[in-house]
Amino acid sequence: YVANIDYVNNYFICPTSYLPYAADMEFFGRPLETPKTIDVCLVGSDRPERRELISNIKYHTGINAQLICGVFKEDYINALAASRIVVNDVAGGGANLLSMRAFEAPAAGAMLLQAFTPALRDVFEVGICCETFNSEDALTKQISYYIREDEQRKRIANNGQYWIANQHTY
């Protein structure tokens, strides 16, 4: 099994199947009513491009955006659950990989704002369970919209958590 659909045909020695990541709801599931103390977060390694992205989000939207690094286990899950929106950029597993965070953030009750990748269509209903962006400008526009439109954001977060719990668990 491979988690990046682009790699399915790369293995000729044995049959290979696409199996996207998932989330353990017993571990990641948090009540949707968890207090949201962070408007937007990006959880991951401290890289210059991520620091710049967070700085630009703050500048263009005026909201509480945080790059959260070095958190693991409960601290990681609590950071996701305390966020209104979790931004997930494409990580180092190939351009069409959906990282585990794409599943963990909705499981924890946050709205997922995912860098667009074609694999997303195979796993999520965009606009129903998550939202996407394909540029920094589109990202800041999405953030500005969903911070103002609280009910829309909550609906997507709720749908995302439901979708993960019913379609993408271990």
Side-chain angles (χ1 to χ4, degrees):
Y1 295 98
V2 294
N4 187 328
I5 197 165
D6 290 350
Y7 295 171
V8 169
N9 295 323
N10 291 354
Y11 300 94
F12 302 106
I13 296 172
C14 60
T16 305
S17 297
Y18 174 55
L19 181 65
Y21 290 123
D24 182 343
M25 289 302 292
E26 287 185 34
F27 191 63
F28 284 92
R30 295 292 187 272
L32 291 168
E33 300 80 29
T34 299
K36 304 296 183 188
T37 57
I38 303 167
D39 289 328
V40 175
C41 85
L42 193 160
V43 180
S45 58
D46 185 0
R47 300 191 318 239
E49 64 273 15
R50 284 182 169 168
R51 276 185 265 137
E52 182 179 347
L53 178 63
I54 292 297
S55 179
N56 289 340
I57 289 170
K58 288 179 183 180
Y59 178 78
H60 291 291
T61 65
I63 63 162
N64 175 16
Q66 298 180 23
L67 173 59
I68 301 174
C69 307
V71 294
F72 305 96
K73 299 182 181 178
E74 287 294 316
D75 292 336
Y76 167 65
I77 300 166
N78 291 336
L80 297 175
S83 300
R84 287 179 176 81
I85 298 171
V86 172
V87 173
N88 193 34
D89 61 351
V90 176
N96 206 17
L97 175 70
L98 287 175
S99 68
M100 290 181 72
R101 191 165 301 109
F103 301 88
E104 296 162 349
M111 182 186 131
L112 174 66
L113 187 48
Q114 170 71 43
F116 180 78
T117 179
L120 198 63
R121 291 187 204 119
D122 296 328
V123 179
F124 291 99
E125 291 183 64
V126 175
I128 305 294
C129 300
C130 70
E131 269 299 350
T132 64
F133 63 96
N134 57 12
S135 69
E136 190 173 307
D137 184 54
L139 173 62
T140 57
K141 285 179 181 173
Q142 289 280 47
I143 289 169
S144 293
Y145 175 79
Y146 282 106
I147 289 299
R148 283 190 324 268
E149 298 296 330
D150 201 44
E151 290 305 313
Q152 292 263 13
R153 180 191 47 76
K154 286 179 180 178
R155 178 185 53 79
I156 291 173
N158 184 49
N159 290 343
Q161 188 178 59
Y162 179 86
W163 185 252
I164 296 300
N166 288 282
Q167 300 294 325
H168 292 284
T169 59
Y170 291 114

